[in-house]
Amino acid sequence: EGFDDIPGMSFPGDNRHLGNGLQPMKEEDWEKYDLPKFEKEFYKEHANISSLSQDEVAVIRKKLDIRVAIDAPRPIITFEEG
C-alpha cells in the first residue's frame, strides 16, 4: 500500500501535498546555528537497582529471559525504578 492509497495524502514526485492545506516542513540547516551542546542522558539509575550485585542482575536477566550486549543498563523490577 502506498501513500497514494491513503485519503488526503499524495506524493507526486517532489511536489508533496499532505492534504487539508498542509505542506511538509522545510529542512533546516542546523550547522548555521551556534547551539549549546546537548547530551541525551535521561536515565538515572534508581538506588534499588544500583545496589544489586552482578549476580543478582544475572539472576533477574535469566529469569526474565533478557539478553544484552556489553554495557546494557541493569534491568528494573518495578515501575517506580524506571
Coordinates of all heavy atoms in Angstrom, one line a residue:
E1 N 0.8 -1.2 0.0 CA 0.0 0.0 0.0 C 0.9 1.2 0.0 O 1.8 1.4 0.8 CB -0.9 0.0 1.2 CG -1.8 1.2 1.3 CD -2.7 1.2 2.6 OE1 -3.5 0.3 2.6 OE2 -2.5 2.0 3.4
G2 N 0.7 2.1 -0.9 CA 1.4 3.4 -1.0 C 0.7 4.5 -0.4 O -0.5 4.4 0.0
F3 N 1.3 5.7 -0.3 CA 0.7 6.9 0.3 C -0.4 7.3 -0.6 O -1.4 8.0 -0.1 CB 1.7 8.0 0.4 CG 2.6 7.8 1.6 CD1 4.0 7.5 1.4 CD2 2.2 7.8 2.9 CE1 4.8 7.4 2.5 CE2 3.0 7.7 4.0 CZ 4.3 7.4 3.7
D4 N -0.4 7.0 -1.9 CA -1.5 7.5 -2.8 C -2.8 6.8 -2.4 O -3.9 7.2 -2.8 CB -1.1 7.2 -4.2 CG 0.1 8.1 -4.7 OD1 0.2 9.2 -4.2 OD2 0.8 7.6 -5.6
D5 N -2.7 5.7 -1.7 CA -3.9 4.9 -1.3 C -4.6 5.5 -0.1 O -5.7 5.1 0.3 CB -3.6 3.4 -1.1 CG -3.0 2.8 -2.3 OD1 -3.3 3.2 -3.4 OD2 -2.2 1.9 -2.2
I6 N -3.9 6.4 0.6 CA -4.4 7.0 1.9 C -5.2 8.3 1.5 O -4.6 9.2 0.9 CB -3.3 7.3 2.9 CG1 -2.6 5.9 3.2 CG2 -3.9 7.9 4.1 CD1 -1.3 6.1 4.0
P7 N -6.5 8.4 1.9 CA -7.2 9.6 1.5 C -6.6 10.8 2.1 O -6.1 10.9 3.3 CB -8.6 9.3 2.2 CG -8.7 7.9 2.4 CD -7.3 7.4 2.6
G8 N -6.5 11.9 1.3 CA -5.9 13.2 1.7 C -4.4 13.3 1.7 O -3.8 14.3 2.0
M9 N -3.7 12.2 1.2 CA -2.3 12.2 1.1 C -1.8 11.8 -0.3 O -2.2 10.7 -0.7 CB -1.6 11.3 2.2 CG -1.9 11.7 3.6 SD -1.0 10.8 4.8 CE 0.6 11.5 4.6
S10 N -1.1 12.6 -0.9 CA -0.5 12.2 -2.2 C 0.9 12.8 -2.3 O 1.2 13.9 -1.7 CB -1.3 12.7 -3.4 OG -1.4 14.1 -3.4
F11 N 1.8 12.1 -2.9 CA 3.2 12.5 -3.0 C 3.7 12.3 -4.4 O 4.5 11.5 -4.8 CB 4.1 11.6 -2.1 CG 3.7 11.8 -0.6 CD1 2.9 10.9 0.0 CD2 4.3 12.8 0.1 CE1 2.5 11.0 1.3 CE2 4.0 12.9 1.4 CZ 3.1 12.0 2.0
P12 N 3.2 13.1 -5.3 CA 3.6 13.0 -6.7 C 5.0 13.7 -6.9 O 5.1 14.9 -6.9 CB 2.5 13.8 -7.5 CG 2.0 14.8 -6.5 CD 2.2 14.1 -5.2
G13 N 6.0 12.9 -7.1 CA 7.4 13.3 -7.2 C 7.8 14.1 -6.0 O 7.6 13.7 -4.9
D14 N 8.5 15.3 -6.2 CA 8.9 16.1 -5.1 C 7.9 17.1 -4.7 O 8.0 17.8 -3.7 CB 10.2 16.9 -5.6 CG 11.4 16.0 -5.7 OD1 11.4 14.9 -5.1 OD2 12.3 16.4 -6.4
N15 N 6.7 17.1 -5.3 CA 5.6 18.0 -5.0 C 4.8 17.3 -4.0 O 3.8 16.7 -4.3 CB 4.8 18.3 -6.3 CG 4.5 19.8 -6.4 OD1 4.8 20.5 -5.5 ND2 3.9 20.1 -7.5
R16 N 5.1 17.5 -2.7 CA 4.4 16.7 -1.7 C 3.2 17.6 -1.2 O 3.3 18.7 -0.8 CB 5.3 16.5 -0.5 CG 6.5 15.7 -0.9 CD 7.4 15.5 0.2 NE 7.4 14.0 0.5 CZ 7.8 13.5 1.6 NH1 8.2 14.2 2.6 NH2 7.7 12.2 1.8
H17 N 2.0 16.9 -1.2 CA 0.8 17.6 -0.6 C 0.3 16.7 0.4 O 0.0 15.5 0.2 CB -0.2 17.8 -1.7 CG 0.3 18.7 -2.9 ND1 0.4 20.0 -2.7 CD2 0.7 18.4 -4.1 CE1 0.9 20.5 -3.8 NE2 1.1 19.5 -4.7
L18 N 0.1 17.2 1.6 CA -0.4 16.4 2.8 C -1.9 16.4 3.0 O -2.4 15.8 3.8 CB 0.4 16.8 4.0 CG 1.9 16.7 4.0 CD1 2.5 17.3 5.3 CD2 2.3 15.3 3.7
G19 N -2.6 17.2 2.2 CA -4.0 17.3 2.3 C -4.3 18.4 3.3 O -3.5 18.9 4.1
N20 N -5.6 18.8 3.3 CA -6.1 19.8 4.2 C -5.2 21.1 4.3 O -5.1 21.8 5.3 CB -6.2 19.3 5.7 CG -7.1 18.1 5.8 OD1 -8.1 18.1 5.1 ND2 -6.8 17.2 6.6
G21 N -4.6 21.4 3.1 CA -3.8 22.6 3.0 C -2.4 22.6 3.7 O -1.7 23.5 3.8
L22 N -2.1 21.4 4.3 CA -0.8 21.2 5.0 C 0.3 21.0 4.0 O 0.2 20.4 2.9 CB -0.8 20.0 5.9 CG -1.9 20.1 7.0 CD1 -1.9 18.8 7.8 CD2 -1.6 21.2 8.0
Q23 N 1.5 21.5 4.3 CA 2.7 21.4 3.5 C 3.8 20.8 4.4 O 3.8 21.1 5.6 CB 3.2 22.7 2.9 CG 2.2 23.3 1.9 CD 2.1 22.5 0.7 OE1 3.0 21.9 0.1 NE2 0.8 22.3 0.2
P24 N 4.7 20.0 3.9 CA 5.8 19.5 4.7 C 6.7 20.6 5.2 O 6.8 21.6 4.6 CB 6.5 18.5 3.8 CG 6.1 18.9 2.4 CD 4.8 19.6 2.5
M25 N 7.3 20.4 6.4 CA 8.2 21.4 6.9 C 9.4 21.4 6.1 O 9.9 20.4 5.6 CB 8.5 21.0 8.4 CG 7.4 21.1 9.3 SD 7.8 20.5 11.0 CE 9.0 21.7 11.5
K26 N 10.0 22.6 5.9 CA 11.3 22.7 5.2 C 12.4 22.2 6.1 O 12.4 22.3 7.3 CB 11.5 24.1 4.7 CG 11.9 25.1 5.8 CD 12.3 26.4 5.2 CE 12.8 27.3 6.3 NZ 14.0 28.0 6.0
E27 N 13.4 21.6 5.5 CA 14.6 21.2 6.2 C 15.4 22.4 6.7 O 15.6 23.3 5.9 CB 15.4 20.2 5.4 CG 14.7 18.9 5.1 CD 15.7 17.9 4.5 OE1 16.9 17.9 4.8 OE2 15.2 17.0 3.7
E28 N 15.9 22.3 7.9 CA 16.7 23.4 8.5 C 18.1 23.0 8.4 O 18.5 21.9 8.7 CB 16.2 23.6 9.9 CG 16.8 24.8 10.6 CD 16.4 26.1 9.9 OE1 15.2 26.4 9.8 OE2 17.3 26.9 9.5
D29 N 19.0 24.0 8.1 CA 20.4 23.8 8.1 C 20.9 24.2 9.5 O 21.2 25.3 9.8 CB 21.1 24.7 7.1 CG 22.6 24.5 7.1 OD1 23.1 23.6 7.7 OD2 23.3 25.3 6.5
W30 N 21.0 23.2 10.4 CA 21.3 23.4 11.8 C 22.8 23.8 12.0 O 23.2 24.3 13.1 CB 21.0 22.2 12.7 CG 19.5 22.0 12.7 CD1 18.8 21.0 12.0 CD2 18.5 22.8 13.4 NE1 17.5 21.2 12.3 CE2 17.3 22.2 13.1 CE3 18.6 23.9 14.2 CZ2 16.1 22.8 13.6 CZ3 17.4 24.4 14.7 CH2 16.2 23.8 14.4
E31 N 23.6 23.6 11.0 CA 25.0 23.9 11.1 C 25.2 25.5 11.2 O 26.3 25.9 11.7 CB 25.8 23.4 9.9 CG 25.8 21.9 9.8 CD 26.5 21.2 11.0 OE1 27.5 21.8 11.5 OE2 26.0 20.2 11.5
K32 N 24.3 26.2 10.7 CA 24.4 27.7 10.7 C 24.1 28.3 12.1 O 24.2 29.5 12.3 CB 23.6 28.3 9.6 CG 22.1 28.2 9.8 CD 21.4 28.8 8.6 CE 19.9 28.7 8.7 NZ 19.2 29.3 7.6
Y33 N 23.7 27.5 13.0 CA 23.3 28.0 14.4 C 24.4 27.6 15.4 O 25.0 26.5 15.3 CB 22.0 27.4 14.8 CG 20.8 27.9 14.0 CD1 20.3 27.0 13.0 CD2 20.2 29.1 14.1 CE1 19.3 27.4 12.2 CE2 19.2 29.5 13.3 CZ 18.7 28.6 12.4 OH 17.7 29.0 11.6
D34 N 24.6 28.4 16.3 CA 25.6 28.1 17.4 C 24.8 27.6 18.6 O 24.4 28.4 19.5 CB 26.4 29.4 17.8 CG 27.4 29.1 18.9 OD1 27.9 27.9 19.0 OD2 27.8 30.0 19.6
L35 N 24.5 26.3 18.6 CA 23.6 25.7 19.6 C 24.5 25.2 20.7 O 25.6 24.7 20.5 CB 22.8 24.6 19.0 CG 21.9 25.0 17.8 CD1 21.3 23.8 17.2 CD2 20.8 25.9 18.4
P36 N 23.9 25.2 22.0 CA 24.6 24.6 23.1 C 24.7 23.1 22.9 O 23.8 22.5 22.3 CB 23.8 25.0 24.3 CG 22.5 25.3 23.8 CD 22.6 25.7 22.4
K37 N 25.8 22.5 23.5 CA 25.9 21.0 23.4 C 24.8 20.4 24.2 O 24.4 20.8 25.3 CB 27.3 20.6 24.0 CG 27.6 19.2 23.9 CD 29.0 18.9 24.4 CE 29.3 17.4 24.4 NZ 29.6 16.9 23.1
F38 N 24.2 19.3 23.6 CA 23.1 18.6 24.2 C 23.4 17.2 24.4 O 23.8 16.5 23.5 CB 21.9 18.8 23.3 CG 20.7 18.1 23.9 CD1 19.9 18.6 24.9 CD2 20.2 16.9 23.4 CE1 18.8 18.0 25.4 CE2 19.1 16.2 23.8 CZ 18.4 16.8 24.9
E39 N 23.4 16.7 25.7 CA 23.7 15.3 26.0 C 22.3 14.6 26.3 O 21.5 15.1 27.0 CB 24.5 15.2 27.2 CG 25.9 15.8 27.1 CD 26.9 14.9 26.4 OE1 26.7 13.7 26.5 OE2 27.9 15.4 25.9
K40 N 22.2 13.4 25.6 CA 21.0 12.6 25.9 C 21.2 11.6 27.0 O 21.5 10.5 26.8 CB 20.6 11.9 24.6 CG 20.1 12.8 23.5 CD 19.7 12.0 22.3 CE 19.3 12.8 21.1 NZ 18.9 12.0 20.0
E41 N 21.2 12.1 28.2 CA 21.4 11.3 29.4 C 20.2 11.4 30.3 O 20.2 12.0 31.3 CB 22.7 11.8 30.1 CG 24.0 11.7 29.4 CD 24.4 10.2 29.3 OE1 24.1 9.4 30.1 OE2 25.1 9.9 28.3
F42 N 19.1 10.8 29.9 CA 17.9 11.0 30.6 C 17.7 9.9 31.7 O 17.0 10.2 32.7 CB 16.7 10.8 29.6 CG 16.7 11.9 28.5 CD1 16.9 11.5 27.2 CD2 16.6 13.2 28.8 CE1 16.9 12.4 26.2 CE2 16.6 14.1 27.8 CZ 16.7 13.7 26.5
Y43 N 18.4 8.8 31.6 CA 18.1 7.7 32.5 C 19.0 7.9 33.8 O 20.2 8.0 33.7 CB 18.4 6.4 31.9 CG 18.3 5.2 32.8 CD1 17.0 4.9 33.3 CD2 19.4 4.5 33.3 CE1 16.9 3.8 34.2 CE2 19.2 3.4 34.1 CZ 18.0 3.1 34.6 OH 17.9 2.0 35.5
K44 N 18.4 7.9 34.9 CA 19.1 7.9 36.2 C 18.8 6.7 36.9 O 17.6 6.4 37.2 CB 18.7 9.2 37.1 CG 19.0 10.5 36.4 CD 20.5 10.8 36.3 CE 20.7 12.1 35.7 NZ 21.8 12.2 34.8
E45 N 19.8 5.8 37.2 CA 19.5 4.5 37.8 C 19.0 4.7 39.2 O 19.5 5.4 40.0 CB 20.8 3.7 37.8 CG 20.6 2.3 38.1 CD 21.9 1.5 37.9 OE1 22.8 1.5 38.7 OE2 21.9 0.8 36.8
H46 N 17.9 4.0 39.5 CA 17.3 4.0 40.9 C 18.2 3.4 41.9 O 19.0 2.4 41.5 CB 15.9 3.3 40.8 CG 15.1 3.5 42.0 ND1 15.3 2.7 43.1 CD2 14.0 4.3 42.2 CE1 14.4 3.1 44.0 NE2 13.6 4.0 43.5
A47 N 18.2 3.8 43.1 CA 19.1 3.3 44.2 C 18.9 1.8 44.3 O 19.8 1.0 44.6 CB 18.8 4.0 45.5
N48 N 17.6 1.3 44.2 CA 17.4 -0.2 44.4 C 18.2 -1.0 43.3 O 18.7 -2.0 43.6 CB 15.9 -0.5 44.2 CG 15.1 0.1 45.3 OD1 15.6 0.6 46.3 ND2 13.8 0.0 45.2
I49 N 18.2 -0.4 42.1 CA 18.9 -1.1 41.0 C 20.4 -1.0 41.2 O 21.2 -1.9 40.9 CB 18.5 -0.5 39.6 CG1 16.9 -0.6 39.5 CG2 19.2 -1.2 38.5 CD1 16.4 -2.1 39.6
S50 N 20.9 0.2 41.6 CA 22.3 0.4 41.8 C 22.9 -0.6 42.9 O 24.0 -1.0 42.8 CB 22.6 1.8 42.2 OG 22.2 2.7 41.2
S51 N 22.0 -0.9 43.8 CA 22.5 -1.7 45.0 C 22.5 -3.2 44.6 O 23.1 -4.0 45.4 CB 21.6 -1.5 46.2 OG 20.3 -2.0 46.0
L52 N 22.0 -3.6 43.5 CA 22.0 -5.0 43.1 C 23.5 -5.5 42.8 O 24.2 -4.7 42.1 CB 21.2 -5.3 41.9 CG 19.7 -5.1 42.0 CD1 19.0 -5.2 40.7 CD2 19.1 -6.1 43.0
S53 N 23.8 -6.7 43.2 CA 25.1 -7.2 42.8 C 25.0 -7.7 41.4 O 23.9 -7.9 40.8 CB 25.5 -8.4 43.8 OG 24.6 -9.5 43.5
Q54 N 26.2 -8.0 40.8 CA 26.2 -8.5 39.4 C 25.5 -9.9 39.4 O 24.8 -10.2 38.4 CB 27.7 -8.7 38.9 CG 28.4 -7.4 38.7 CD 27.8 -6.6 37.5 OE1 26.9 -7.0 36.8 NE2 28.3 -5.4 37.3
D55 N 25.6 -10.7 40.4 CA 25.0 -12.0 40.5 C 23.5 -11.8 40.5 O 22.7 -12.5 39.8 CB 25.4 -12.8 41.7 CG 26.8 -13.3 41.5 OD1 27.4 -13.4 40.4 OD2 27.5 -13.6 42.6
E56 N 23.0 -10.8 41.3 CA 21.5 -10.6 41.3 C 21.0 -10.1 39.9 O 19.9 -10.5 39.5 CB 21.2 -9.5 42.4 CG 21.4 -10.1 43.8 CD 21.3 -9.0 44.8 OE1 22.0 -7.9 44.7 OE2 20.7 -9.2 45.9
V57 N 21.8 -9.2 39.3 CA 21.4 -8.8 37.9 C 21.3 -9.9 37.0 O 20.4 -10.1 36.2 CB 22.4 -7.7 37.4 CG1 22.2 -7.4 36.0 CG2 22.3 -6.4 38.3
A58 N 22.3 -10.8 37.1 CA 22.3 -12.0 36.2 C 21.1 -12.9 36.4 O 20.5 -13.4 35.5 CB 23.6 -12.8 36.4
V59 N 20.7 -13.1 37.7 CA 19.6 -13.9 38.0 C 18.3 -13.3 37.4 O 17.5 -14.0 36.9 CB 19.5 -14.1 39.5 CG1 18.1 -14.7 39.9 CG2 20.6 -15.0 40.1
I60 N 18.2 -12.0 37.6 CA 17.0 -11.3 37.1 C 16.9 -11.4 35.5 O 15.9 -11.7 35.0 CB 17.0 -9.8 37.5 CG1 16.8 -9.7 39.0 CG2 15.9 -9.0 36.7 CD1 17.1 -8.3 39.5
R61 N 18.0 -11.2 34.9 CA 18.1 -11.3 33.4 C 17.7 -12.7 33.0 O 17.0 -12.9 32.0 CB 19.4 -10.8 32.9 CG 19.6 -9.3 32.9 CD 20.9 -8.9 32.4 NE 21.0 -7.5 32.3 CZ 22.1 -6.8 32.4 NH1 23.3 -7.4 32.5 NH2 22.1 -5.5 32.4
K62 N 18.2 -13.7 33.7 CA 17.9 -15.1 33.3 C 16.5 -15.4 33.5 O 15.8 -16.0 32.6 CB 18.8 -16.0 34.1 CG 18.6 -17.5 33.7 CD 19.6 -18.4 34.4 CE 19.3 -19.8 33.9 NZ 20.4 -20.6 33.6
K63 N 15.9 -15.0 34.6 CA 14.5 -15.2 35.0 C 13.6 -14.6 33.9 O 12.6 -15.1 33.6 CB 14.2 -14.7 36.4 CG 12.8 -14.9 36.8 CD 12.6 -14.4 38.2 CE 11.1 -14.7 38.7 NZ 10.9 -14.2 40.0
L64 N 13.9 -13.4 33.5 CA 13.1 -12.6 32.6 C 13.5 -12.9 31.1 O 12.9 -12.2 30.2 CB 13.1 -11.1 32.9 CG 12.6 -10.7 34.2 CD1 12.8 -9.2 34.5 CD2 11.2 -11.1 34.4
D65 N 14.4 -13.8 30.9 CA 14.9 -14.1 29.5 C 15.4 -12.8 28.8 O 15.1 -12.6 27.6 CB 13.9 -14.8 28.7 CG 14.5 -15.5 27.5 OD1 15.7 -15.8 27.5 OD2 13.8 -15.7 26.5
I66 N 16.2 -12.0 29.5 CA 16.8 -10.8 28.9 C 18.2 -11.1 28.5 O 19.0 -11.5 29.2 CB 16.8 -9.6 30.0 CG1 15.4 -9.3 30.4 CG2 17.5 -8.4 29.4 CD1 15.3 -8.3 31.6
R67 N 18.4 -10.8 27.2 CA 19.8 -11.0 26.6 C 20.3 -9.6 26.3 O 19.6 -8.8 25.6 CB 19.7 -11.9 25.4 CG 19.2 -13.3 25.8 CD 18.9 -14.1 24.6 NE 18.1 -15.2 25.0 CZ 17.4 -15.9 24.2 NH1 17.5 -15.7 22.9 NH2 16.7 -16.9 24.6
V68 N 21.5 -9.3 26.7 CA 22.0 -8.0 26.5 C 23.4 -8.0 25.8 O 24.1 -9.0 25.9 CB 22.1 -7.2 27.8 CG1 20.7 -7.0 28.4 CG2 23.0 -7.9 28.8
A69 N 23.8 -6.9 25.3 CA 25.1 -6.7 24.8 C 25.9 -6.0 25.9 O 25.5 -5.8 27.0 CB 25.1 -5.8 23.5
I70 N 27.1 -5.7 25.6 CA 28.0 -5.0 26.5 C 27.5 -3.7 27.0 O 26.9 -2.9 26.2 CB 29.4 -4.9 25.9 CG1 30.0 -6.2 25.6 CG2 30.4 -4.1 26.8 CD1 31.3 -6.2 24.8
D71 N 27.6 -3.3 28.2 CA 27.2 -2.0 28.8 C 25.7 -1.7 28.7 O 25.3 -0.6 28.5 CB 28.0 -0.9 28.1 CG 29.5 -0.9 28.4 OD1 29.8 -1.4 29.5 OD2 30.3 -0.4 27.6
A72 N 24.9 -2.7 28.8 CA 23.5 -2.5 28.8 C 23.0 -2.1 30.2 O 23.6 -2.5 31.2 CB 22.7 -3.8 28.4
P73 N 22.0 -1.3 30.3 CA 21.5 -0.9 31.7 C 21.0 -2.1 32.4 O 20.6 -3.1 31.9 CB 20.4 0.1 31.4 CG 20.5 0.5 30.0 CD 21.3 -0.6 29.3
R74 N 21.1 -2.0 33.8 CA 20.6 -3.1 34.6 C 19.1 -3.1 34.5 O 18.4 -2.1 34.3 CB 21.0 -2.8 36.1 CG 22.5 -2.9 36.3 CD 22.8 -2.2 37.6 NE 24.2 -2.6 38.0 CZ 24.4 -3.3 39.1 NH1 23.5 -3.6 40.0 NH2 25.7 -3.6 39.4
P75 N 18.5 -4.3 34.6 CA 17.0 -4.4 34.5 C 16.3 -3.8 35.7 O 16.8 -3.9 36.8 CB 16.8 -5.9 34.4 CG 17.9 -6.5 35.1 CD 19.1 -5.6 34.8
I76 N 15.1 -3.2 35.4 CA 14.3 -2.7 36.5 C 13.3 -3.8 36.9 O 12.9 -4.6 36.0 CB 13.7 -1.4 36.2 CG1 12.7 -1.5 35.0 CG2 14.7 -0.3 35.9 CD1 11.9 -0.3 34.7
I77 N 12.8 -3.7 38.1 CA 11.8 -4.7 38.6 C 10.4 -4.1 38.7 O 9.4 -4.7 38.4 CB 12.3 -5.3 39.9 CG1 13.7 -5.8 39.9 CG2 11.3 -6.4 40.4 CD1 14.0 -6.9 38.8
T78 N 10.4 -2.9 39.2 CA 9.1 -2.2 39.4 C 9.0 -0.9 38.6 O 10.0 -0.4 38.1 CB 8.9 -1.8 40.9 OG1 9.9 -0.8 41.2 CG2 9.1 -3.0 41.8
F79 N 7.8 -0.5 38.4 CA 7.6 0.8 37.6 C 8.3 1.9 38.3 O 8.9 2.8 37.5 CB 6.1 1.1 37.6 CG 5.7 2.3 36.8 CD1 5.7 2.2 35.4 CD2 5.4 3.5 37.4 CE1 5.4 3.4 34.7 CE2 5.1 4.6 36.7 CZ 5.1 4.5 35.3
E80 N 8.3 2.0 39.6 CA 9.0 3.1 40.3 C 10.5 3.2 40.0 O 11.1 4.3 40.2 CB 8.7 3.0 41.8 CG 7.3 3.3 42.2 CD 6.4 2.1 41.9 OE1 6.9 0.9 41.8 OE2 5.1 2.3 41.8
E81 N 11.1 2.1 39.7 CA 12.5 2.1 39.5 C 12.9 2.5 38.0 O 14.1 2.8 37.8 CB 13.1 0.6 39.6 CG 12.9 0.1 41.1 CD 13.2 -1.3 41.2 OE1 13.2 -2.1 40.2 OE2 13.4 -1.8 42.4
G82 N 11.9 2.7 37.2 CA 12.2 3.1 35.8 C 12.2 4.6 35.7 O 12.7 5.2 34.9

